[in-house]
Every structure is written in structure tokens, then in C-alpha cells.
């Protein structure tokens, strides 16, 4: 069991956002997290990433309770976060953005080169634009940079929050391919998405959230076959 | 009233020299503000402490450069300790608490200096003596050296930030501290390191300024005030802007002291601050966002 | 709001005023004077609390209001013949009001840190002008003058003694406290607090935040100027030192130590600081600011609600 959340309660100031979220992700699995806007999907991701501290509950990563640890420790342990608004470092170049994840203790120069080459193979456009300021990239390119940057951490799990939001259909299918490739590479992914067909296609199982908790859990195959559940929780 | 051209030119040179020292002080202040939203009220007192440590070292060893180095290192370490004990607990609180806390620290440091070194002023002997004729004056070489050294230190800072892994860490943390942490950058450590760097730069300017203006226990407040003005006029967090603003303000004061007494010339920088806040509050030397 | 805390509060106020009334009669002259000074600094601290504790604007320039009140009083006492207490008050308040109007103009345009730095810069501008304009202000040496007599319309006049001056100051400060308390408890005061807590929301609800801030600054400046007049009356001199930043800094210390947003707190803070200074300077001589500064910084970090807030919490639990 790579990641397990047990009954997570999280507040934003006085608002009680997560009312007891429990889910789990195995090593190498691609798992979806669906739900309407505002149910707490992003907050769940932020809690795992350490950006938000849960008031109660456990976050078990490889068996250890990591709730409350600062984000940079979690990054070193293998949790990579690709936030909803991408948050590339706009004034840094593409390469410098990548280097924020690359410059870690214990990584040899050789491995750094190899990682960069791998990421440039995944995303050739980033290789082209490596000296450009990240703020000048298009939306789709910034999304690719955000994912590439996460890959620099050589993570065990990537928390991918709404990667196709605001992207053109051509980019959307590119993102879908990337999720497939990452999964094939053995990286676990927890995917939050509004695009239901993409999610059902890319994942093996999905959790559905409503009102701050997980209300339903099924394999993606089941959900593909039976539309009623999706319609019930998401209205699509 | 006509002012002779050579007087104006001399004031220009003086303004540039003072401006470079002020730029060194202000760079540290703006760096600290940019990365952790801390308005360091005690920054001028770090300049003062650096000057005293430098003065003591130079007096005992006779070596100016050693004094500069020891002052920078000592105050850097001190700054790091200060940040960890008093400023780290304040992260996430109302930003005005940091200005209050650093104000309290400023009080303690000022009085500590008197306690440690006594009430009389100190001297720092300049490392390079000798003058060259500048119009009708014999202009000390040391003043030119000061400007060059200040520029060199700022230049070194710029290169450090632009290239190298730690420069990337600092710039990333300044832009988005949460995302930087999520990328594995140890943000609390970066904050402490930046504060230490700012403190070191302040200390260095104190030692460089020593032969020019003497080392006194109350020089801190003056530097803090001027540095604040420069940082606001240059744009808070904007390194290049602070440097330009420091030179600009110092030139203004230098020219003003041709007409009024130096004590009154300082009003010119106050007015510059007020005008900036009225007309272009993000900073006079900040490019207009597109 | 239950009746009991109110009763306890006012009982406390009455007791404090009573003690202060009796003070000059029982204390040796040095301490009697000290009590008067505590009242004056307390008034200054209260005036600053309007901004820092209620509206959320930290002023580092209160020395300007205080100092100009002092110099305004000096102007009256040196130029009007015969010197009249009420004219003196008027001149002092007018001077302070002038500065306050100036600062108020900027208060509405600048947020937080920029406002604080600007107030600091303003008080320094006044300092430099007063320090260098020797013909008018006496420059470095300041101005000395005579105390006016306490004159009441139609009833004649009586020269002040140390005791009667103390009672006069006590009366003025008590009345000021009552007025300020009334204002802070009123709907106006509630809006100020709402601005401190969440300015954008207050604006969104429909309040003209600018207008409220202007009034707050004017109020704060006037009462600070009043304190300056009282100081001039007590000490019979005006000096540029009082316009220098140190006074502004001390006012902020009183506010933080005593408890911001309580009105009474800053007075307690002033008393606490002045007593600490007296006490520490016996042992540490002029280095008293080192332990006091450390205490202040520690309070900012660990006891931001000040002494009064701390006591309040203790009493409530």
C-alpha cells in the first residue's frame, strides 16, 4: 500500500472542508478522484502534499504517518504535486523550473542528465523552449512543464490536479497519453479531473467525492458500463 | 544663483559613492522583504554592528580586509540566529508583527552597541590612502574603491542568484514559497540563509562606510530610514530597482546639499518617497506590468 | 454583554482615578511628578491605540502630533499676552490638527507597511524642520516659557501648583478617556474595528473606508496633540527631541505591552514601561533598554495581546 488516507478532516480557517476522507492508492496504480466543484478534491490533494495540514486523521505513505510534515520533506519521500493552476515559476526559465526538482541531495550529475533527457523525450516542446521564461509559455506548455517538473522528483506518486482544465482538445489527448505513459512507467497517479471520459479511460478505479467525503468507490470499468452512478454524483 | 559646474560634478561623484553604499544596504533589505515579507526595522543596526565589529578587528589586526570579512561573517551568523529565534515563529502572522518585532530588536541592538563598545565613536583606517586631483579638490582614492567594492558585492549577489542551484532555490522561493516547498526546496532554511546574506551585506556596507563617515552608535537609524526610502522608491523586492533608487536618492541629496545644509538636504529623500507613494506606489524604477 | 464585567470595569476605573487623585498628596514630589507623566504618556498611548488597536494602522509618527501640540502650546505661551490656558490648548490642538490632516490624506491612499513608513518619514521631516529652523523654533535648544494660570471664565485665575496641575491633567485625561471610550463603543468604533479585521469586506458592505480612516487619524492626532500641550504645561519647555522618532517608538511599545484595542491597556503599558525604565535604570543605568527591548520583542512574539489581554484571559478562565 503506497498511500492511504484515513478519515481526514481539514479546515480552511473556520470552514470545515473535508469531513472524513479515506482512500488508498497502490504502487503503480492510476486512481481517479471525481466529484463536482467544491467538494474538496483539491483540498484532499493539498493535504497529501503537505500544503494544508489536516486537523485529524492519518496520511500513511509507505506505512508511515506523514500528516503534518512540511511539503519539502514529502517531496523528498516521493510525493509530487502538480497543482490545479500549474504554478510554474513564471520568472524562471523552463530549465530552471525543472532544476528546482532536479537539484536534490544524492543525485549524481549523470542521473540528472538522464532525467532531463527522459523528460525532453516525453515533452519535446520543453526542450525547444528550455531557455524561455516559463511565464511566456502557452497554457498547454505550462501544464507539460508542471508535469515534467514533478517527474524531476522521481516520485513514487504524482498528485495530478485538473491537468486538462482550460486546454484545447488536442492538448487534452496529449495529456491523456502522458498519464498512460507515466502509469506504464510504474509511477502511481492520483488524478483529479472534471473530464470524466478521460478519467475513466486513464484510471483503473475511481473514488467519487461529495460534501467533503468519499461517497462511492468502483472500478473504472464498472463506471464506464453503468452511467447511472456518474450521473447521480456529477450530473453528466 | 549659479553654482559652479565643478561643484556639481564633485557632488555627482559623492552622490554616486554614497549611492553605491546605500545600494548595498538596500539590496539586503529588499532581498529579505521579497522572499519572506519581512520589513527589517533592525537592518540599519546590522550595518552599525558590522561597522563596530569591523572597527575592532581592524584596530587589533591592522588589516582592513580581514575586518571586512570577519564583520560580514559574524553578522551573517548573528542574523541567522536572530531570524531563527525571533522571526521564524512569526511566519503566517500579521506582517505588522514582524515590523514590531524587528523594531524591538533594533532597540536592543542599539543599546547593546553602547554597552559593548562604549559611547564614543570609532575609526576605521582606510586601506588605501592617497588622493587624486578632482577639479579643485584632492579626492581620496578610497571613496572610488568603496563604490567599486560595493558594486562588486552586488554584482556577486546578482551572479549568485542568476546561476547556480542556490540561486534557483532563492528565486523560486521568492516567487512562490508554497510551490518551492512542494518541489523539495527546504524553504525555512532558504529564508534563514537569505536573512544571513542580507545581514552580511549590511555589515559589509558598515565597514566600507566606516572610513567615510565614522562608526557611531546611532548610525543605524539613519541607514534604516534611508534604506526604507530606497526600497520603496525602487520597488519592494526589486533588486535592480533598489540599486537605481539608491543612486537616485543619493544624487538628489548630494545636489540638495549645494543649496541647503546637509541636515536639511535629507528632506529631499523624504519628499521623493512621498511623491513615489502618491504617483507610482509600486516603485519608480519598476517596469510597468504588461 | 452581562452587567457584571461592566461593573467590575467601571469600579476599576473609579479606583484608578481615585488613586491618581490622591497621588500628589501622599507621594514624594519625584513620584508625584512621575504620576503626572504617566497620565500624559498614557493619553498619548491612548490616542495611538485608536489607530493601531482599532483601525489596524500602525503609526510610527505619533511624535509629530505630540511634538507639534507641544510647539503650538509654546507658540501661544510666547506670543499671546497675557498667556492664557485655553488659548494655549487651542493653538496646540490646531497645530496637531494641521499635521493630522496632512497624515490623514496619505492614510487613505496607503496600506499597512507603506502607511507606517510614511508616518515615520513625516515625523522625521518635522524633526528636521524644527531642528534647523532655529529662528522660529529655537532649533536644538528648543523653547522655554512660563506656565499659564488656570483661569476659569469670570471666576478669576489661579496659578498652578504641582498638585493642581496634576489634577488638571488627571481631569483632562479622564475626560479624554471617557470620550474615546464612548467613540470606540459607538457604531463608528465598530466600523473601525471591522476595518481592522477585514478591510475589503468592510468596503464591500458599503462603508466609505476612506472617510472612516480620515476621522480616525484626526481623532488620534488631536488627542496626541493634547498630550503634547499637557507636557508643555507641565515642563515649561518644548524641544525637538520630542518630535524625534524615539517618542513614536515608545508609544508603539506602550500600545503593544499594554494591549492594543483596549484604550486602558496602552495607559497601563505606558505606566509599565516607565516603571520598568525607572527600575531597570537603577541597575542597568542607561542600558535599561536592553532588557526592556528584549521583553518587548518577546511580548510581540508570545504575548501579542499585551498585558491587559493576557490578564483578561486569565480572569475569564
Amino acid at each position: 500500500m503506497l498511500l492511504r488516507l484515513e478519515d481526514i478532516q481539514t479546515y480552511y480557517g473556520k470552514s470545515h472542508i473535508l469531513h472524513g476522507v479515506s482512500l488508498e492508492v497502490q504502487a503503480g496504480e492510476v486512481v481517479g478522484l471525481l466529484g463536482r466543484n467544491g467538494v474538496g478534491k483539491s483540498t484532499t490533494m493539498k493535504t497529501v502534499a503537505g500544503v494544508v495540514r489536516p486537523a485529524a486523521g492519518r496520511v500513511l505513505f509507505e506505512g508511515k504517518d506523514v500528516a503534518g510534515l512540511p511539503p519539502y520533506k514529502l517531496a523528498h519521500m516521493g510525493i509530487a504535486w502538480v497543482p490545479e493552476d500549474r504554478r510554474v515559476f513564471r520568472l524562471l526559465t523552463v530549465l530552471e523550473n525543472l532544476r528546482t526538482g532536479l537539484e536534490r541531495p544524492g543525485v549524481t550529475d549523470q542521473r540528472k542528465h538522464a532525467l532531463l533527457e527522459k523528460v525532453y523525450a516525453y515533452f519535446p516542446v520543453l526542450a525547444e523552449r528550455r531557455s524561455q521564461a516559463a511565464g511566456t509559455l502557452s497554457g498547454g506548455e505550462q501544464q507539460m512543464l508542471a508535469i515534467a517538473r514533478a517527474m524531476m522528483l522521481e516520485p513514487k506518486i504524482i498528485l495530478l490536479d485538473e491537468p486538462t482544465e482550460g486546454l484545447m482538445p488536442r492538448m487534452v489527448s496529449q495529456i491523456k497519453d502522458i498519464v498512460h505513459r507515466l502509469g506504464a512507467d510504474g509511477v502511481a497517479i492520483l488524478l483529479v479531473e472534471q473530464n470524466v471520459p478521460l478519467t475513466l479511460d486513464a484510471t483503473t478505479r475511481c473514488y467519487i467525492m461529495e460534501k467533503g467525503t468519499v461517497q462511492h468507490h468502483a472500478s473504472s470499468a464498472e463506471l464506464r458500463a453503468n452511467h447511472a452512478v456518474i450521473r447521480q454524483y456529477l450530473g453528466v | 544663483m549659479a553654482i559652479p559646474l565643478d561643484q556639481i560634478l564633485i557632488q555627482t561623484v559623492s552622490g554616486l559613492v554614497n549611492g553605491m553604499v546605500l545600494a548595498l544596504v538596500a539590496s539586503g533589505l529588499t532581498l529579505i522583504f521579497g522572499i519572506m515579507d519581512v520589513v527589517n526595522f533592525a537592518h540599519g543596526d546590522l550595518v552599525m554592528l558590522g561597522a563596530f565589529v569591523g572597527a575592532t578587528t581592524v584596530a587589533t589586526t591592522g588589516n582592513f580586509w580581514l575586518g571586512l570579512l570577519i564583520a560580514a561573517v559574524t553578522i551573517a551568523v548573528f542574523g541567522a540566529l536572530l531570524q531563527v529565534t525571533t522571526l521564524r515563529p512569526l511566519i503566517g502572522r500579521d506582517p505588522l508583527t514582524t515590523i514590531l518585532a524587528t523594531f524591538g530588536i533594533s532597540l536592543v541592538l542599539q543599546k547593546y552597541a553602547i554597552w559593548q563598545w562604549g559611547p564614543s565613536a570609532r575609526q576605521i583606517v582606510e586601506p588605501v590612502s592617497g588622493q587624486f586631483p578632482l577639479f579643485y579638490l584632492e579626492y581620496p582614492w578610497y571613496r572610488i574603491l568603496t563604490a567599486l567594492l560595493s558594486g562588486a558585492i552586488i554584482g556577486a549577489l546578482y551572479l549568485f542568484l542568476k546561476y547556480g542551484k542556490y540561486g534557483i532555490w532563492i528565486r523560486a522561493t521568492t516567487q512562490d514559497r508554497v510551490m518551492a516547498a512542494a518541489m523539495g526546496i527546504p524553504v525555512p532554511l532558504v529564508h534563514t540563509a537569505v536573512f544571513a546574506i542580507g545581514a552580511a551585506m549590511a555589515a559589509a556596507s558598515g565597514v566600507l562606510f566606516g572610513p567615510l563617515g565614522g562608526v557611531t552608535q546611532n548610525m543605524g537609524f539613519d541607514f534604516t530610514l534611508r534604506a526604507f526610502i530606497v526600497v520603496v522608491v525602487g520597488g519592494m523586492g526589486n533588486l535592480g530597482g533598489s540599486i537605481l533608487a539608491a543612486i537616485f536618492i543619493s544624487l538628489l541629496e548630494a545636489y540638495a546639499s549645494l543649496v541647503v545644509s546637509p541636515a536639511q538636504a535629507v528632506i529631499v529623500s523624504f519628499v521623493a518617497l512621498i511623491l513615489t507613494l502618491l504617483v507610482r506606489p509600486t516603485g519608480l524604477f519598476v517596469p510597468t506590468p504588461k | 454583554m452581562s452587567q457584571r464585567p461592566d461593573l467590575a470595569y467601571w469600579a476599576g476605573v473609579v479606583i484608578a482615578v481615585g488613586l491618581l487623585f490622591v497621588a500628589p498628596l501622599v507621594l514624594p514630589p519625584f513620584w508625584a511628578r512621575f504620576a503626572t507623566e504617566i497620565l500624559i504618556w498614557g493619553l498619548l498611548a491612548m490616542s495611538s491605540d485608536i489607530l493601531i488597536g482599532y483601525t489596524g494602522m500602525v503609526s510610527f509618527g505619533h511624535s509629530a502630533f505630540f511634538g507639534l501640540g507641544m510647539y503650538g502650546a509654546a507658540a501661544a505661551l510666547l506670543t499671546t499676552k497675557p498667556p492664557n490656558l485655553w488659548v494655549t490648548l487651542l493653538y496646540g490642538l490646531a497645530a496637531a490638527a494641521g499635521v493630522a490632516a496632512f497624515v490623514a490624506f496619505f492614510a487613505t491612499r496607503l496600506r499597512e507597511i507603506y502607511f507606517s513608513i510614511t508616518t515615520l518619514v513625516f515625523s522625521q521631516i518635522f524633526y528636521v524642520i524644527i531642528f534647523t529652523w532655529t529662528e522660529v523654533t529655537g532649533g536644538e535648544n528648543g523653547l522655554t516659557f512660563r506656565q499659564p494660570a488656570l483661569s476659569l471664565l469670570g471666576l478669576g485665575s489661579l496659578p498652578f501648583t504641582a498638585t493642581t496641575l496634576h489634577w488638571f491633567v488627571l481631569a483632562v485625561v479622564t475626560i479624554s478617556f471617557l470620550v474615546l471610550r464612548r467613540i470606540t463603543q459607538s457604531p463608528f468604533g465598530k466600523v473601525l474595528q471591522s476595518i481592522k479585521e477585514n478591510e475589503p469586506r468592510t468596503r464591500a458592505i458599503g462603508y466609505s473606508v476612506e472617510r472612516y480612516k480620515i476621522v480616525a487619524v484626526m481623532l488620534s492626532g488631536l488627542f496626541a496633540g493634547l498630550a503634547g500641550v499637557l507636557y508643555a504645561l507641565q515642563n515649561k519647555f518644548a524641544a525637538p527631541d520630542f518630535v524625534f522618532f524615539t517618542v513614536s517608538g515608545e508609544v508603539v511599545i506602550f500600545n503593544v505591552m499594554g494591549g492594543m484595542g483596549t484604550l486602558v491597556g496602552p495607559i497601563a503599558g505606558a505606566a509599565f514601561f516607565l516603571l520598568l525604565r525607572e527600575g531597570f535604570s537603577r541597575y542597568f543605568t542607561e542600558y535599561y533598554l536592553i532588557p526592556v527591548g528584549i521583553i518587548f520583542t518577546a511580548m510581540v512574539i508570545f504575548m501579542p495581546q499585551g498585558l491587559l489581554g493576557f490578564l483578561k484571559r486569565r480572569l475569564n478562565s
Side-chain angles (χ1 to χ4, degrees):
Chain A
M1 183 56 53
L2 182 63
L3 173 72
R4 200 220 302 276
L5 269 61
E6 285 177 2
D7 203 33
I8 293 290
Q9 311 270 350
T10 303
Y11 288 76
Y12 261 165
K14 302 213 171 108
S15 305
H16 195 174
I17 307 278
L18 299 181
H19 294 259
V21 171
S22 302
L23 56 82
E24 49 187 49
V25 180
Q26 310 264 24
E29 258 200 305
V30 181
V31 174
L33 188 56
L34 295 166
R36 270 184 260 257
N37 276 330
V39 300
K41 309 187 299 292
S42 283
T43 310
T44 306
M45 301 285 254
K46 285 182 183 166
T47 307
V48 178
V51 169
V52 161
R53 224 196 147 106
R58 299 206 294 169
V59 178
L60 295 162
F61 188 71
E62 295 185 314
K64 266 197 312 208
D65 187 0
V66 298
L69 283 184
Y72 63 90
K73 291 215 177 119
L74 296 174
H76 289 167
M77 290 169 78
I79 299 178
W81 179 52
V82 182
E84 192 176 350
D85 29 4
R86 288 143 212 164
R87 287 172 90 151
V88 297
F89 298 111
R90 305 181 63 88
L91 300 174
L92 266 54
T93 63
V94 166
L95 179 55
E96 287 172 337
N97 265 273
L98 294 174
R99 283 179 69 187
T100 59
L102 203 54
E103 309 281 1
R104 277 170 290 129
V107 184
T108 61
D109 279 342
Q110 257 184 318
R111 210 158 106 213
K112 287 184 193 171
H113 263 296
L115 270 174
L116 272 176
E117 289 312 313
K118 172 172 166 187
V119 141
Y120 287 148
Y122 259 74
F123 307 104
V125 73
L126 292 182
E128 272 173 50
R129 304 208 191 287
R130 77 184 83 186
S131 307
Q132 251 178 270
T136 62
L137 297 178
S138 73
E141 289 162 352
Q142 287 189 16
Q143 185 61 65
M144 291 197 276
L145 175 57
I147 297 176
R149 194 179 53 173
M151 288 166 67
M152 293 283 110
L153 290 171
E154 295 181 287
K156 301 190 170 109
I157 179 168
I158 296 184
L159 307 169
L160 203 45
D161 197 343
E162 310 243 9
T164 66
E165 183 178 12
L167 295 187
M168 299 182 306
R170 184 168 52 90
M171 297 255 53
V172 172
S173 68
Q174 261 192 297
I175 300 287
K176 189 166 75 145
D177 288 337
I178 291 164
V179 173
H180 275 297
R181 274 174 84 175
L182 285 170
D185 262 357
V187 180
I189 299 183
L190 182 57
L191 176 66
V192 164
E193 250 302 336
Q194 291 284 62
N195 185 331
V196 176
L198 182 148
T199 313
L200 294 182
D201 186 53
T203 59
T204 46
R205 54 191 179 85
C206 285
Y207 292 95
I208 306 183
M209 280 182 73
E210 192 166 85
K211 296 190 207 144
T213 61
V214 173
Q215 299 275 359
H216 191 84
H217 171 218
S219 78
S220 306
E222 263 177 63
L223 292 169
R224 272 196 296 267
N226 177 3
H227 292 282
V229 178
I230 298 288
R231 240 192 319 253
Q232 174 190 356
Y233 286 106
L234 295 157
V236 290
Chain B
M1 172 178 55
I3 302 174
L5 183 64
D6 48 4
Q7 268 191 19
I8 295 181
L9 289 172
I10 296 217
Q11 289 301 95
T12 308
V13 175
S14 283
L16 283 171
V17 169
N18 288 329
M20 288 310 294
V21 175
L22 190 55
L24 191 54
V25 177
S27 305
L29 188 63
T30 209
L31 197 67
I32 291 172
F33 178 78
I35 202 170
M36 48 188 136
D37 284 329
V38 165
V39 180
N40 185 14
F41 213 93
H43 206 73
D45 301 293
L46 294 173
V47 174
M48 182 264 296
L49 282 181
F52 271 98
V53 171
T56 313
T57 313
V58 174
T60 32
T61 64
N63 187 329
F64 177 86
W65 307 108
L66 197 61
L68 186 62
L69 182 67
I70 301 243
V73 170
T74 315
I75 302 301
V77 171
F78 175 68
L81 284 171
L82 204 60
Q83 194 268 350
V84 171
T85 52
T86 54
L87 295 177
R88 222 185 248 183
L90 295 177
I91 292 181
R93 290 227 236 141
D94 183 0
L96 286 172
T97 48
T98 53
I99 209 176
L100 288 174
T102 49
F103 164 64
I105 292 170
S106 157
L107 289 176
V108 175
L109 293 182
Q110 281 174 30
K111 295 309 169 186
Y112 168 76
I114 303 181
W115 179 68
Q116 176 73 28
W117 286 288
S120 42
R122 293 293 171 103
Q123 294 276 54
I124 298 185
V125 178
E126 51 208 34
V128 176
S129 56
Q131 297 136 343
F132 63 96
L134 182 68
F135 307 105
Y136 59 87
L137 275 189
E138 287 295 310
Y139 208 72
W141 275 115
Y142 177 68
R143 287 186 159 252
I144 308 291
L145 183 64
T146 304
L148 290 174
L149 274 174
S150 302
I153 297 176
I154 296 174
L157 176 72
Y158 175 74
L159 290 174
F160 173 69
L161 288 178
K162 196 153 158 73
Y163 303 108
K165 145 176 158 191
Y166 297 116
I168 292 178
W169 279 13
I170 292 175
R171 284 187 292 138
T173 309
T174 307
Q175 287 172 48
D176 189 338
R177 106 181 42 128
V178 171
M179 196 63 225
M183 288 309 301
I185 295 175
V187 167
L189 204 61
V190 173
H191 281 170
T192 306
V194 168
F195 197 88
I197 292 175
M201 289 170 75
S205 20
V207 178
L208 288 173
F209 182 77
L212 297 180
V215 178
T216 57
Q217 290 74 0
N218 51 18
M219 63 196 273
F221 179 66
D222 210 43
F223 270 104
T224 304
L225 191 55
R226 286 230 169 84
F228 272 6
I229 293 175
V230 165
V231 164
V232 173
V233 171
M236 290 189 107
N238 184 334
L239 196 60
S242 310
I243 297 166
L244 290 172
I247 296 176
F248 174 63
I249 298 269
S250 298
L251 283 173
L252 278 181
E253 274 189 39
Y255 296 139
S257 56
L258 286 173
V259 186
V260 293
S261 76
Q264 291 165 324
V266 80
I267 294 193
V268 160
S269 46
F270 296 152
V271 171
L273 171 78
I274 293 171
L275 287 177
T276 307
L277 288 173
L278 281 180
V279 171
R280 209 169 151 145
T282 44
L284 285 183
F285 296 101
V286 175
T288 328
K290 304 175 197 29
Chain C
M1 176 96 137
S2 67
Q3 283 292 66
R4 292 276 298 286
D6 252 0
L7 214 60
Y9 180 84
W10 288 110
V13 171
V14 170
I15 294 176
V17 173
L19 285 174
L20 285 163
F21 183 86
V22 165
L25 303 171
V26 301
L27 292 174
F30 173 79
W31 289 103
R33 246 188 106 79
F34 194 77
T36 316
E37 284 219 18
I38 289 183
L39 280 171
I40 296 176
W41 293 113
L43 175 60
L44 181 59
M46 262 202 304
S47 74
S48 164
D49 199 23
I50 299 288
L51 287 182
I52 192 176
Y54 286 90
T55 325
M57 303 194 284
V58 176
S59 159
F60 274 118
H62 255 61
S63 61
F65 304 129
F66 183 74
L68 259 83
M70 201 189 293
Y71 275 89
L77 290 169
L78 288 171
T79 57
T80 58
K81 301 250 177 326
N84 180 296
L85 178 65
W86 308 105
V87 171
T88 307
L89 270 166
L90 193 67
Y91 270 51
L93 288 176
V99 181
F102 203 43
V103 174
F105 175 73
F106 288 94
T108 56
R109 277 167 180 67
L110 303 171
R111 23 176 212 101
E112 303 163 356
I113 292 183
Y114 295 113
F115 173 73
S116 302
I117 296 179
T118 309
T119 54
L120 174 57
V121 165
F122 269 147
S123 65
Q124 286 307 102
I125 292 179
F126 282 111
Y127 175 75
V128 171
I129 294 176
I130 289 175
F131 193 88
T132 52
W133 203 7
T134 318
E135 315 87 61
V136 170
T137 63
E140 206 173 337
N141 297 312
L143 301 165
T144 51
F145 38 83
R146 297 253 202 86
Q147 233 174 36
L150 171 60
S151 55
L152 296 165
L153 286 118
L155 291 174
S157 71
L158 195 68
F160 278 116
T161 63
T163 306
T164 51
L165 181 71
H166 175 91
W167 287 339
F168 178 71
V169 168
L170 179 60
V172 170
V173 174
T174 308
I175 295 173
S176 305
F177 166 70
L178 293 171
V179 168
L180 284 174
R181 187 178 155 80
R182 193 78 192 71
I183 293 177
T184 53
Q185 301 286 72
S186 73
F188 173 81
K190 299 284 192 269
V191 175
L192 289 186
Q193 287 179 62
S194 146
I195 293 176
K196 176 179 184 207
E197 269 170 50
N198 192 333
E199 192 178 312
R201 181 160 46 103
T202 315
R203 200 188 299 266
I205 297 178
Y207 287 107
S208 165
V209 168
E210 280 71 36
R211 287 218 196 113
Y212 281 87
K213 280 189 174 177
I214 289 178
V215 177
V217 172
M218 294 299 301
L219 263 178
S220 183
L222 277 171
F223 281 97
L226 181 58
V229 172
L230 291 176
Y231 195 89
L233 289 174
Q234 185 201 27
N235 294 287
K236 298 170 263 196
F237 68 80
D241 306 39
F242 295 104
V243 188
F244 194 71
F245 170 72
T246 318
V247 168
S248 306
E250 286 176 357
V251 171
V252 172
I253 294 178
F254 303 156
N255 277 293
V256 169
M257 277 185 156
M260 302 184 271
T262 59
L263 279 189
V264 184
I267 302 184
F272 184 59
F273 177 85
L274 290 170
L275 286 167
L276 271 184
R277 179 162 74 182
E278 258 321 297
F280 277 135
S281 43
R282 310 246 158 138
Y283 295 104
F284 298 101
T285 58
E286 65 266 36
Y287 307 121
Y288 71 89
L289 261 181
I290 299 184
V292 172
I294 295 178
I295 293 177
F296 170 77
T297 309
M299 286 183 84
V300 170
I301 301 174
F302 300 113
M303 219 200 285
Q305 68 277 34
L307 279 174
L308 229 75
F310 180 71
L311 282 173
K312 225 189 266 181
R313 219 162 278 191
R314 268 296 186 78
L315 290 172
N316 281 342
S317 59

